[in-house]
Amino acid sequence: MPDTPAVAARGPIPRPAPLRQAVYDTLTELIINGSLKPGQHLVEADLAENLGVSRQPIREALQRLHTAGWVDLRPAQGAFVHSPTAEECAQLLSVRAILETHSARGAAEHAAPADVARLWELQRIGLTALTAGDARAIVEANAALHAHITHLSRNAVLAELIPQVDRRVRWYYMPIARPRGTDAWSEHARIIEAIADGDPDRAEELMRRHTANTTDFYCEQIAALADRSA
């Protein structure tokens, strides 16, 4: 059975974008959404065939992915999808927590009724994905909800900084989206209520607890996996 799964559903990547960038973005997204799993061997020839490109842009993309921390290059073995550690998770999610708590405070200070209605709509989308057990849809809904809270904060610096960590947060969240889902979306509801009430202190505190709970849950899962493989 080949190391790299077929990604035919994705099809040949669009050509209008610079090819090397398109290949890099495509492989990054396949890692984030779990099509390429942590620890998986990435075979250049298979990736090239699946994406409909030559091996050269694949090779260049793997080098860039290694530099960015998405891929490990092992001498005499090849490229492998990076397996995040508990320490990496804690570091990234602690930074995300600081940014998200500021976003929640700002959203509570600025959100209009129509903005709150949109938050509840995104909440419903997330609950629908949770009911269906669709991890990818849960992750996308989670990202959309948090992004809208950031938008409502009316803080241009936060809007610039948070997307820089969002891709990796989505990657980390994918394996815990379903087991963490019920608690996470209940926490979202309380955050939305605080934003709707125009209570920045409560919104900030609830977001702080929410991000801390997600961090703790993820790190516990990583530790459990490490114990089982020891």
Side-chain angles (χ1 to χ4, degrees):
M1 191 170 181
D3 289 315
T4 304
V7 290
R10 181 88 184 190
I13 60 177
R15 295 287 177 160
L19 183 58
R20 64 181 62 186
Q21 184 63 45
V23 170
Y24 175 83
D25 290 340
T26 298
L27 291 179
T28 302
E29 187 59 33
L30 290 172
I31 291 171
I32 291 170
N33 68 29
S35 295
L36 300 175
K37 301 184 183 304
Q40 182 175 331
H41 187 199
L42 301 175
V43 180
E44 288 183 10
D46 292 343
L47 292 172
E49 180 179 358
N50 290 333
L51 297 182
V53 299
S54 69
R55 294 177 63 171
Q56 182 58 33
I58 297 292
R59 189 174 299 115
E60 293 175 0
L62 292 177
Q63 288 288 345
R64 288 183 60 191
L65 290 164
H66 171 64
T67 300
W70 297 103
V71 165
D72 298 328
L73 297 180
R74 303 175 189 171
Q77 296 183 52
F80 296 81
V81 178
H82 180 66
S83 296
T85 66
E87 182 180 6
E88 291 169 355
C89 164
Q91 289 177 354
L92 181 78
L93 294 183
S94 66
V95 171
R96 179 220 183 194
I98 294 170
L99 300 176
E100 295 279 10
T101 52
H102 282 291
S103 291
R105 168 171 283 277
E109 292 171 341
H110 297 104
D115 299 322
V116 174
R118 175 57 179 162
L119 288 175
W120 285 120
E121 180 183 353
L122 293 170
Q123 173 78 357
R124 286 191 293 273
I125 292 171
L127 291 174
T128 298
L130 182 61
T131 299
D134 187 337
R136 292 188 190 181
I138 296 169
V139 170
E140 292 304 319
N142 181 73
L145 178 61
H146 280 271
H148 195 58
I149 291 173
T150 299
H151 170 71
L152 296 181
S153 73
R154 308 291 192 263
N155 187 316
V157 175
L158 285 173
E160 180 180 356
L161 290 176
I162 286 181
Q164 295 180 34
V165 300
D166 176 66
R167 273 184 157 186
R168 205 165 292 266
V169 168
R170 287 197 292 130
W171 184 33
Y172 289 172
Y173 196 62
M174 183 67 70
I176 67 170
R178 283 180 288 194
R180 166 90 173 111
T182 299
D183 289 340
W185 288 91
S186 294
E187 292 162 11
H188 286 161
R190 291 191 286 273
I191 293 167
I192 296 171
E193 289 169 356
I195 292 172
D197 291 342
D199 189 336
D201 290 337
R202 185 157 59 95
E204 183 179 57
E205 178 57 26
L206 288 169
M207 183 64 83
R208 181 179 292 109
R209 293 179 196 171
H210 172 64
T211 54
N213 289 341
T214 298
T215 301
D216 291 345
F217 191 94
Y218 184 88
C219 291
E220 288 169 4
Q221 295 296 306
I222 289 292
L225 285 173
D227 289 342
R228 286 199 293 269
S229 61

